[in-house]
Amino acid sequence: VEGDIKKLESMGVDSVFLPSSEEIYQKGDAFIIDEDSLSKKLEGSSRPHFFKGVFTVVGKLFNIVSPNKSYFGKKDAQQLILIERMVSSLCFPIEIVACDTIREHNGLAMSSRNEYLSREQRDSAKIIFTSLTAAKNMVGEGKFSADDIRKKIKQILSSVDEIEIDYVSVASLSDLSECEGVIDEDALISVAVVMGGVRLIDNIFCENN
């Protein structure tokens, strides 16, 4: 928290909302926000209760703060997509702004979780972005086979012994269902891996022009 506040101060932020857990989750509070389709795929498949917690606390935050805009990173692409749809479905008068993924010098997507990696692991983890770049290049070369793209990513990731693959996905942006055959619509190419006990995710958006 102290580190975050210092970063916010350096950017000229005027105030910080920092409630206690008890203020947000009142005794006897049994209401949750849930979604029964997109949230069950990808991250939701590996972490089945994750998104209902996200929806509920973000919904509470929106109601308390009443922001005009709220900013979500593309690194957590599924979360971004779901929050956009929650805002639309529940009629929150809020603009969701998608922020590009910020990367370290070697391409590894910046995340607070990276601090749990050793220097050697952080260097090896660049293979995640390398695999996604290879997938992007395949699409750029007109190679639209979803299966071939998944196989290529897995092949590259498997070159690092310490990496355990959770999933490699080529999914439709419209409903996050896995693409079969050739990619003929906008897609999300994403991966989730575990390295040294740390779960890392990354993705690229693939627009079908």
Side-chain angles (χ1 to χ4, degrees):
V1 172
E2 290 77 8
D4 286 344
I5 290 175
K6 286 181 180 178
K7 291 173 185 175
L8 293 170
E9 287 178 339
S10 72
M11 298 179 71
V13 170
D14 296 311
S15 60
V16 174
F17 178 57
L18 194 62
S20 67
S21 178
E22 290 75 20
E23 289 176 288
I24 297 297
Y25 301 105
Q26 301 173 22
K27 186 176 181 180
D29 189 353
F31 288 91
I32 62 171
I33 302 174
D34 201 2
E35 190 272 351
D36 201 36
S37 180
L38 274 68
S39 63
K40 310 306 178 187
K41 301 170 182 177
L42 301 177
E43 288 296 289
S45 178
S46 298
R47 307 165 72 189
H49 304 295
F50 174 68
F51 282 116
K52 65 176 66 176
V54 171
F55 299 143
T56 302
V57 74
V58 171
K60 286 174 179 278
L61 178 68
F62 285 169
N63 279 329
I64 294 167
V65 178
S66 298
N68 300 112
K69 296 181 180 181
S70 188
Y71 297 79
F72 287 80
K74 292 181 180 179
K75 184 183 80 69
D76 298 292
Q78 185 179 12
Q79 176 175 269
L80 167 64
I81 292 166
L82 284 164
I83 292 295
E84 287 175 335
R85 298 198 181 193
M86 183 185 82
V87 164
S88 175
S89 180
L90 299 183
C91 303
F92 284 106
I94 300 169
E95 178 187 350
I96 301 299
V97 181
C99 303
D100 289 336
T101 300
I102 306 299
R103 300 186 178 278
E104 298 188 8
H105 70 278
N106 63 3
L108 177 64
M110 284 191 175
S111 169
S112 57
R113 295 183 181 184
N114 295 354
E115 296 184 10
Y116 297 106
L117 300 172
S118 67
R119 182 177 297 179
E120 292 76 15
Q121 288 171 333
R122 190 178 288 202
D123 185 58
S124 295
K126 66 186 178 184
I127 198 71
I128 300 169
F129 186 56
T130 299
S131 71
L132 291 171
T133 300
K136 184 177 181 179
N137 291 340
M138 288 178 69
V139 172
E141 294 166 1
K143 300 173 183 177
F144 296 110
S145 168
D147 283 341
D148 287 349
I149 290 172
R150 292 187 195 98
K151 288 177 182 176
K152 184 66 173 179
I153 292 173
K154 289 178 181 178
Q155 178 186 21
I156 294 172
L157 291 175
S158 297
S159 67
V160 175
D161 292 337
E162 198 172 355
I163 282 184
E164 301 174 26
I165 299 173
D166 182 359
Y167 65 77
V168 172
S169 169
V170 181
S172 164
L173 263 182
S174 62
D175 62 4
L176 297 183
S177 62
E178 289 298 314
C179 297
E180 304 294 340
V182 299
I183 303 173
D184 57 2
E185 58 185 313
D186 291 349
L188 175 70
I189 302 177
S190 60
V191 303
V193 304
V194 177
M195 185 175 200
V198 181
R199 195 166 188 278
L200 303 170
I201 62 173
D202 202 352
N203 65 76
I204 55 171
F205 288 79
C206 177
E207 295 184 0
N208 194 299
N209 297 320

